[in-house]
Structures are given as C-alpha cells and as structure tokens.
Amino acid sequence: MITTEHSTYNNASETDNQLKNILEDSDRLLSICGSGYDDVTEYQLLVRCLSEQTIVEEAARRLRTKEDGGFHSGMLQNPSDPDAAFREKAGKEYQGYAANLEETVGKNGSVITDYQYEQNNYSDSRFLKDSLECKEVQEKETVLVTDGAYSGKENHDLAEGKNIRLVNTDLSGKPVDDILADFVFNESGTKVLRCPAGYEPKSCGYTGSKSRQFHVSFTRDQCAGCPNKDRCKAKIHKRVSSVTVSIKAHERAKQQRFMGTEEFRNLFKIRNGVETVPSILGRIYHADRMPVRGLIRGRFFFGCKIGALNFKKLFTYRKGLGHYAENPVLAR
C-alpha cells in the first residue's frame, strides 16, 4: 500500500487576505446582530475577542501584535475559560491562574491556614497586601516569613499595623550601604535626628511622602573630618555639608544587616520548608492539572485540595509519624 501526504502552506500575503476577510465578516456580523444578542454568552465572548485582539486603522482593521503595545494580561485567552489571564515572568509566559499559600508552623508541625486563588496577572506583592488587609490586629507579635517578591516598605508598614513582623528572605533591587541603617529618625519617620557619627543636623528638608527622601545639612567641619563621609556620600560645600538619605534605603539597610544574624538563618530554614507544599500539591494532588475552568470553580476545587493536604498532615500527626527538625525559633 502506498501512502502519500500533501501539505499546503500559505504565504504572508494569503494569510493577510484571510485575516482581512475574517475580520470583515466579523464586522458585518456585529452590525447585523446589533444589541439583539447581548444576553448570549457566546456573542459576548465574540465581541470581547474583537475589541481586545484588534485595533482600528484608517484603511482597515488588523490584529494586535506585541509591537503595537496593545496586549494586556487580562485579554481573553480561551473562550471556554474567559477568566484566565496570562503573565510573563523570568522570560516565560504563563496562562491560567495563580495561587498563594500561607502556612502556620509550630513545634508540632505545620498546617495551611489560608490560601488565595486569583487570575495569573496577580502579583506576589498584591497577594500579600490582600492577605494583610483581611487580618485582624494580632494580640501577640506574629512573624511572617516570605521571599523577596513580597518585600517593600509599604508591605512592611501594613504588616506592622497588624502587629506582624514581616521578614523577607531575599530583597529585590540593588543593595545599599550598611551605614544607612545607623541614621536615626523620629517616630513618625519625617525627620532625621542623628547621623551615624552621632551629629545632629542643622536642618532637615523632607521632600514628601512619595519619594520619602531627606536633604540633611551639617556644619562643614562635621562631614569634612568624618570617616563615614564617602559611605554617606556627603557633599562638602563652602559653609555646610549635605547628605541625601531616604527612609526606604534606611529600612533596606536594616533588613540587609538582619540577614546576617543567626535568627534570620533559622527563619530562612522555616521559609524553605513551605517550598515543598506547591510541589506536593502538584505531584500528589494534581493541583496544576485541575479539569475545571473558571475562577470561582477553580478556587473551590483548589481549596478542596488544600483541605485534603491538611487532613493528611493531621493524620500523620495523630499517628505519631511526623518527625520535624528542631528549630530554635519555634522553641521560644
């Protein structure tokens, strides 16, 4: 028996003509339908697809491209799953949904106490803000350990207002000089009281809440003879010297200094433990291959898998099969 195969390929001009015909047909369909099918889901998806995926020019309508800058993460990915979104992270593109987990760790083990399930264009920092805003003020100080994607002065301030100590195991952005941690600010964070050498400034200008920078002036001799002048990047003028410092750089320097302590290393070990949870949910509970579509249904089924994992943790603990490494932080 002889089998033959035949393949046809369209050149660029033929493809453009086909797209043009399809879009012209869609225009005619929209004009014919008008508003008579606004309550039909399929028609709504067609209108959404055309409005998001195309742009209007003087001569004709054409498809959007990345070069046009017209793509956004909430555009329709699949008509059967209109809630899905896409996100580009670390050079890779992801479609669908994203989940965020919160695990509470103690002497007797761990349990997942909260989870979030949103569209894939949700950032890690936004997950954290939503979680903190829903929490009540803690009676005792609670330590929340996250990775560098959850860092930021705004997140730390929000956590502090809930009596939560936010610890990041990594920091995004460029490192700053350690000496910035030794600047002393007032309680409201609107004035520099002393520099690392202990000098009180002659004046302190605050640029506002957006940049949160301070232009601090000292006498000329104080900075000119100070061994820290190069690290503080002091500018020596004719009569005075000046230093510019921001509250964000000050807080970052304090975090960098804390990352060299033994307490941080113990907290880092706890943070590493939560990395096994996404792996278990994917390998054992197949959370990354759920057959359901849609944000609400996906959130429900993902929550069921979280519940199954927590029951597994409970049974393991009740049977005395859980063996956990001792950590000085949990022994307090």
Side-chain angles (χ1 to χ4, degrees):
M1 182 177 71
I2 300 176
T3 302
T4 61
E5 294 183 358
H6 177 67
S7 300
T8 59
Y9 299 91
N10 294 332
N11 56 36
S13 60
E14 291 177 347
T15 302
D16 291 340
N17 290 332
Q18 289 180 0
L19 290 175
K20 182 179 179 181
N21 292 334
I22 292 173
L23 294 175
E24 289 176 351
D25 291 341
S26 300
D27 277 336
R28 285 194 293 269
L29 178 63
L30 292 176
S31 63
I32 294 172
C33 293
S35 59
Y37 296 89
D38 288 346
D39 57 342
V40 178
T41 303
E42 291 77 6
Y43 179 73
Q44 292 177 351
L45 291 174
L46 172 63
V47 174
R48 176 183 170 185
C49 176
L50 292 175
S51 63
E52 292 179 343
Q53 301 285 348
T54 61
I55 55 178
V56 178
E57 290 187 334
E58 294 180 0
R61 186 189 296 266
R62 64 184 176 88
L63 291 176
R64 291 181 187 268
T65 64
K66 286 187 177 181
E67 288 73 16
D68 296 325
F71 281 126
H72 61 84
S73 58
M75 294 177 72
L76 183 66
Q77 303 297 303
N78 189 332
S80 62
D81 193 4
D83 294 331
F86 77 90
R87 181 184 183 186
E88 187 172 341
K89 185 176 182 180
K92 296 182 179 180
E93 293 185 355
Y94 301 90
Q95 293 182 341
Y97 303 91
N100 188 65
L101 304 173
E102 181 178 298
E103 185 181 42
T104 300
V105 184
K107 299 178 183 179
N108 298 321
S110 62
V111 63
I112 299 174
T113 51
D114 192 16
Y115 78 94
Q116 297 158 283
Y117 189 89
E118 301 291 347
Q119 291 179 310
N120 199 30
N121 53 7
Y122 241 69
S123 66
D124 294 336
S125 182
R126 188 177 176 185
F127 271 125
L128 178 61
K129 286 184 176 66
D130 290 349
S131 176
L132 290 174
E133 288 172 354
C134 294
K135 292 183 182 299
E136 298 180 354
V137 178
Q138 307 296 301
E139 295 182 1
K140 296 182 179 180
E141 185 185 60
T142 303
V143 180
L144 179 61
V145 189
T146 68
D147 61 25
Y150 301 84
S151 63
K153 182 67 168 60
E154 185 177 351
N155 291 341
H156 280 265
D157 291 342
L158 185 57
E160 185 178 355
K162 302 289 186 175
N163 196 24
I164 297 174
R165 180 187 174 195
L166 180 60
V167 177
N168 302 114
T169 57
D170 194 11
L171 300 175
S172 58
K174 296 181 180 179
V176 298
D177 196 300
D178 179 73
I179 201 170
L180 296 178
D182 294 325
F183 279 87
V184 180
F185 294 81
N186 61 356
E187 292 184 0
S188 59
T190 58
K191 185 178 180 180
V192 177
L193 301 180
R194 290 187 303 278
C195 74
Y199 297 122
E200 295 183 7
K202 291 182 58 179
S203 63
C204 178
Y206 182 49
T207 61
S209 58
K210 186 175 182 180
S211 60
R212 306 200 72 178
Q213 284 189 336
F214 300 84
H215 298 293
V216 190
S217 296
F218 298 89
T219 61
R220 186 182 188 281
D221 294 338
Q222 285 176 334
C223 288
C226 180
N228 300 325
K229 64 179 180 180
D230 293 333
R231 298 178 62 188
C232 294
K233 298 181 180 179
K235 297 180 180 179
I236 312 300
H237 307 287
K238 187 174 182 179
R239 291 188 177 89
V240 298
S241 55
S242 62
V243 176
T244 301
V245 60
S246 70
I247 192 70
K248 290 184 178 181
H250 169 70
E251 294 294 335
R252 183 185 178 90
K254 290 170 60 177
Q255 293 179 53
Q256 290 177 181
R257 182 175 293 181
F258 173 69
M259 291 171 71
T261 63
E262 182 67 23
E263 181 184 4
F264 173 81
R265 285 189 283 270
N266 290 326
L267 291 172
F268 188 85
K269 294 176 183 178
I270 295 176
R271 175 64 184 82
N272 284 346
V274 77
E275 294 292 345
T276 62
V277 176
S279 176
I280 293 173
L281 288 171
R283 289 185 297 102
I284 300 177
Y285 297 93
H286 309 294
D288 53 348
R289 298 192 299 274
M290 292 191 299
V292 298
R293 296 183 183 273
L295 178 61
I296 303 301
R297 287 186 295 173
R299 185 179 292 160
F300 171 76
F301 277 88
F302 186 77
C304 291
K305 295 180 183 296
I306 295 294
L309 177 58
N310 278 339
F311 272 113
K312 180 67 174 179
K313 288 174 175 286
L314 174 62
F315 293 152
T316 301
Y317 170 72
R318 294 289 293 176
K319 292 179 179 180
L321 301 177
H323 301 285
Y324 308 100
E326 295 184 359
N327 192 305
V329 175
L330 302 178
R332 294 175 180 176

